[in-house]
């Protein structure tokens, strides 16, 4: 495991320096660059010029459509997501050679963008935009889309990009069931295939890899929990391998994805909550609580999160949606999120969040998360939090206090400096229900007289403060690098992996 981590460290550093949008966008540009070069060398059936002009029309039409939708309906469209939709369509639709081909492309881009902002229910996008556009085009007489990206010559670059995307977004549990069921179903339904021809026709030169790593994993159209995502991947895989006709629809990879999107939508928690901003409160250095009043009571388990949408003009490439843990407890009448606000450079989302005035509304959907209290109240628990990763523990601990639920809980809370600890008064109050809080300063500035721990959390810290740690269930929440390193620490201490639950906040 450590060898793999050492290999992955530089990869993770690289991936952390990019946003998801940047990775996907530049990755798709690279795939198209390779395709154009191969065309110049005569390795493909298309000209480099047709690839360049097709991508220009598709990307140009998608960006223009996004801008028009923004002017007409005020939807918060982002230019990067329009570019990505245009690039994905470029890699699927056969490079254009006639004026009619270009017209189909412009139409596809417009439909894709419209679906993103207009085919929505309760603020939630239903379909993968590119797949939706291709299905509509199929009905309108365009014919089957080509998926020319699924070719042997493009395999290496698609594979590298796909694996980077799936690794960054942590969705192998979605991609692999899709791949497995796609291959198995294809093998069963297409007669005369040998295992070797199956691999060459479906994996090396078919749509599976591109579709599974770039389109299937798109967060706004995937289910909220791991189990449901496995089911979603498996379903889309089966549908991709099947050959069927239903009315005007005949089986295509894009139709498989659209049907999967409907499944994902149906199983998702779709009850949208509208919340009214009440106030923001500084809770630690550069960390604020944003407090809201929901327009109706809603149920959640302490430790769960929501997908928050905050419409604002001039959204940057990170867009207008974020996942935030509900830092409040279900026992409170307000809903709070705790977030770090970078004083130097914040995203447009965080700037809009800090600019909210009392009464302003924000909406939230897709309640999810398994980082919640075990049902057995007698088990020993150890919480390890790094920085803003404290938010689920704030929710859980406040819940324990309010419901007088006495449990054996040790909290190790790490922060760079003494002023980085949020909610410490609450944690100190929670000693009454069994909480043993330990504050750990990881940075060099330790104030004189500091009574807590210092340095990175070590095996000694754990064994000294939790002697029977082998019987405990550990919860770790924080930045990815921290979560990974503490997982190793626990594994070296002999804590079984089944006793360790993790939560990490991508995005920093
Ligand atoms: C399940 C889950 C739960 C989460 N819970 C929480 C939570 O409780 N609290 C929380 O704070 N986060 C949480 N997150 C993470 C959250 O969704 C955001 O990804 C994170 O807060 C970063 O926000 P941001 O993109 O607005 O960037 P910011 O916080 O504004 O910035 C992060 C870094 O990116 C840089 N940056 C900002 N904008 C740009 C830009 N346009 N281009 C380049 N660099 C830029 C900044 O300088 C900064 O260093 C959670 C994520 C998940 C998946």
């Amino acid at each position: 495991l450590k060898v793999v981590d050492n290999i992955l460290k530089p990869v993770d550093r690289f991936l952390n320096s990019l946003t998801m949008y940047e990775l996907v966008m530049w990755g798709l540009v690279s795939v198209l660059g390779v395709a154009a070069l191969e065309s110049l060398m005569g390795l493909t059936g298309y000209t480099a010029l047709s690839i360049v002009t097709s991508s220009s029309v598709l990307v140009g039409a998608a960006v223009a459509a996004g801008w028009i939708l923004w002017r007409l309906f005020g939807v918060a469209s982002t230019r990067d997501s329009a570019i990505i939709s245009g690039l994905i369509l470029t890699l699927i639709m056969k490079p254009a050679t006639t004026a009619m081909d270009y017209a189909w492309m412009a139409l596809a881009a417009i439909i894709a963008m419209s679906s993103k902002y207009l085919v929505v229910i309760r603020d939630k996008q239903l379909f993968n935009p590119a797949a939706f556009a291709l299905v509509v085009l199929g009905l309108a007489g365009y014919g089957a889309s080509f998926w020319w990206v699924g070719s042997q010559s493009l395999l290496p670059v698609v594979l590298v990009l796909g694996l980077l995307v799936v690794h960054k977004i942590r969705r192998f549990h979605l991609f692999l069931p899709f791949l497995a069921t796609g291959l198995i179903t294809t093998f069963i339904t297409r007669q005369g295939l040998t295992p070797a021809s199956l691999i060459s026709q479906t994996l090396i030169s078919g749509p599976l890899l591109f579709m599974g790593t770039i389109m299937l994993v798109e967060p706004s159209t995937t289910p909220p929990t791991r189990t449901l995502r496995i089911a979603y991947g498996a379903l889309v895989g089966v549908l991709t391998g099947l050959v069927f006709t239903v009315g005007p629809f005949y089986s295509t990879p894009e139709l498989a994805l659209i049907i999967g999107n409907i499944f994902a939508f149906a199983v998702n928690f779709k009850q949208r909550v509208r919340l009214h901003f009440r106030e923001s409160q500084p809770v630690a250095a550069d960390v604020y609580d944003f407090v809201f009043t929901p327009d109706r009571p809603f149920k959640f388990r302490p430790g769960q999160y929501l997908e928050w949408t905050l419409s604002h003009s001039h959204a940057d490439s990170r867009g207008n949606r974020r996942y935030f843990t509900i830092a409040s407890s279900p026992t409170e009448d307000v809903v709070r999120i705790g977030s770090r606000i970078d004083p130097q450079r914040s995203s447009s989302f965080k700037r809009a969040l800090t600019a909210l005035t009392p009464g302003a509304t924000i909406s939230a959907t897709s309640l999810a998360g398994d980082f919640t209290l075990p049902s057995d109240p007698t088990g020993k628990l150890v919480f390890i939090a790094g920085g803003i990763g404290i938010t689920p523990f704030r929710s859980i601990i406040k819940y324990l206090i309010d419901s007088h639920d006495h449990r054996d809980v040790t909290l190790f809370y790490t922060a760079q400096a003494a002023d980085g600890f949020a909610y410490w008064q609450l944690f100190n109050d929670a000693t009454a229900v069994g909480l043993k809080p330990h504050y750990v300063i990881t940075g060099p500035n330790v104030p004189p007289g500091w009574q807590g721990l210092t340095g990175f959390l070590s095996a000694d810290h754990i064994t000294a403060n939790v002697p029977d740690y082998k019987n405990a269930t550990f919860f770790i929440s924080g930045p990815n690098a921290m979560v990974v390193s503490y997982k190793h620490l626990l594994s070296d201490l002999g804590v079984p992996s089944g006793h360790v639950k993790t939560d990490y906040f991508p995005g920093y």
Side-chain angles (χ1 to χ4, degrees):
L1 202 64
K2 273 198 172 146
V3 176
V4 176
D5 270 348
N6 285 340
I7 298 170
L8 284 181
K9 255 187 196 153
V11 176
D12 282 334
R13 259 199 303 275
F14 165 70
L15 289 176
N16 288 340
S17 69
L18 295 173
T19 65
M20 202 63 210
Y21 277 120
E22 286 165 343
L23 172 65
V24 175
M25 188 168 73
W26 292 116
L28 293 172
V29 169
S30 311
V31 177
L32 278 168
V34 171
L37 274 180
E38 288 178 349
S39 301
L40 283 176
M41 294 189 288
L43 296 176
T44 70
Y46 327 104
T47 64
L49 185 66
S50 68
I51 293 176
V52 173
T53 51
S54 300
S55 56
S56 309
V57 168
L58 277 161
V59 171
V63 172
W67 186 81
I68 291 167
L69 287 165
W70 171 62
R71 293 304 300 245
L72 287 182
F73 302 103
V75 294
S77 128
T78 75
R79 205 188 49 195
D80 288 5
S81 82
I83 295 175
I84 288 173
S85 297
L87 293 172
I88 289 177
L89 284 167
T90 310
L91 285 161
I92 299 175
M93 298 177 80
K94 191 174 174 183
T97 49
T98 66
M100 195 60 196
D101 291 343
Y102 289 112
W104 280 119
M105 286 183 164
L107 184 62
I110 293 167
I111 296 172
M113 292 308 292
S114 309
S115 81
K116 211 178 280 194
Y117 301 109
L118 304 181
V119 189
V120 290
I121 296 181
R122 293 185 187 151
D123 276 358
K124 190 80 182 155
Q125 170 188 337
L126 248 74
F127 298 120
N128 179 288
F132 180 76
L134 294 170
V135 169
V136 174
L137 247 58
L139 287 176
Y142 174 72
S145 37
F146 212 62
W147 293 89
W148 64 279
V149 63
S151 72
Q152 195 166 349
S153 61
L154 289 179
L155 177 71
V157 59
V158 171
L159 188 64
V160 171
L161 171 63
L163 292 180
L164 287 177
V165 169
V166 178
H167 176 66
K168 182 169 169 78
I169 201 169
R170 301 289 192 279
R171 289 291 180 268
F172 278 104
H173 62 272
L174 166 58
F175 169 60
L176 293 176
F178 162 78
L179 192 64
T181 54
L183 286 173
I184 293 167
T185 319
T186 308
F187 190 67
I188 294 169
T189 54
R190 314 253 159 96
Q191 279 163 8
L193 277 182
T194 61
S197 60
L198 173 76
I199 297 294
S200 87
Q201 284 175 30
T202 31
L203 199 56
I204 296 179
S205 51
L208 278 193
L209 261 185
F210 183 77
M211 180 176 155
T213 57
I214 306 294
M215 297 170 75
L216 179 76
V217 298
E218 206 256 322
S220 27
T221 48
T222 47
T225 65
R226 190 184 167 89
T227 315
L228 288 172
R229 283 194 291 265
I230 293 172
Y232 170 61
L235 171 72
V236 179
V238 169
L239 291 169
T240 309
L242 284 182
V243 182
F244 62 90
T245 319
V246 184
F249 298 102
Y250 52 93
S251 49
T252 57
E254 54 271 23
L255 181 62
L257 192 50
I258 289 299
I259 298 174
N261 290 162
I262 295 171
F263 164 81
F265 186 83
V267 297
N268 230 334
F269 177 86
K270 288 293 156 230
Q271 252 182 319
R272 185 188 61 169
V273 193
R274 268 186 184 284
L275 305 112
H276 302 283
F277 178 70
R278 203 151 129 173
E279 59 180 331
S280 69
Q281 302 166 345
V283 288
D286 300 334
V287 179
Y288 295 83
D289 261 12
F290 297 89
V291 186
F292 300 89
T293 317
D295 63 358
R296 60 177 176 78
F298 73 101
K299 282 197 178 133
F300 64 95
R301 283 181 290 146
Q304 290 196 298
Y305 58 85
L306 285 163
E307 187 190 42
W308 301 70
T309 302
L310 178 53
S311 293
H312 58 285
S313 54
H314 305 296
D316 63 19
S317 60
R318 299 181 180 204
N320 63 352
R321 288 194 299 253
R322 288 292 184 285
Y323 288 106
F324 285 117
T325 308
I326 307 171
S328 47
S329 150
T331 48
E332 292 174 90
D333 56 0
V334 292
V335 171
R336 56 177 74 225
I337 52 183
S339 193
R340 197 166 72 81
I341 305 294
D342 190 314
Q344 255 84 48
R345 184 181 188 189
S346 271
S347 60
S348 63
F349 185 101
K350 294 260 176 99
R351 287 199 303 272
L353 191 63
T354 42
L356 284 176
T357 49
T361 49
I362 184 166
S363 69
T365 54
S366 307
L367 177 73
D370 308 320
F371 198 75
T372 50
L373 274 174
S375 46
D376 172 13
T378 59
K380 181 170 190 58
L381 305 173
V382 180
F383 295 166
I384 302 177
I388 194 62
I390 194 67
T391 49
F393 299 129
R394 195 255 173 222
S395 172
I396 292 171
I397 290 166
K398 175 74 174 140
Y399 177 79
L400 293 178
I401 296 175
D402 288 351
S403 50
H404 309 288
D405 188 345
H406 198 286
R407 298 214 189 189
D408 184 350
V409 187
T410 304
L411 167 71
F412 292 104
Y413 182 4
T414 72
Q416 280 261 326
D419 60 1
F421 296 104
Y423 316 126
W424 55 268
Q425 297 96 328
L426 179 90
F427 300 146
N428 291 349
D429 289 349
T431 49
V433 287
L435 183 77
K436 291 176 266 309
H438 298 281
Y439 302 96
V440 191
I441 296 182
T442 55
N445 297 325
V446 179
W450 172 252
Q451 303 210 331
L453 306 173
T454 56
F456 288 105
L457 192 63
S458 66
D460 288 344
H461 288 141
I462 292 177
T463 50
N465 293 291
V466 195
D468 53 344
Y469 65 89
K470 284 204 173 150
N471 299 321
T473 302
F474 286 78
F475 286 66
I476 317 175
S477 168
N480 189 37
M482 178 211 116
V483 172
V484 170
S485 96
Y486 290 148
K487 250 167 88 172
H488 286 318
L489 178 73
L490 296 178
S491 135
D492 290 347
L493 276 170
V495 178
S497 61
H499 288 195
V500 182
K501 272 190 157 197
T502 60
D503 200 17
Y504 81 104
F505 293 177
Y508 283 108

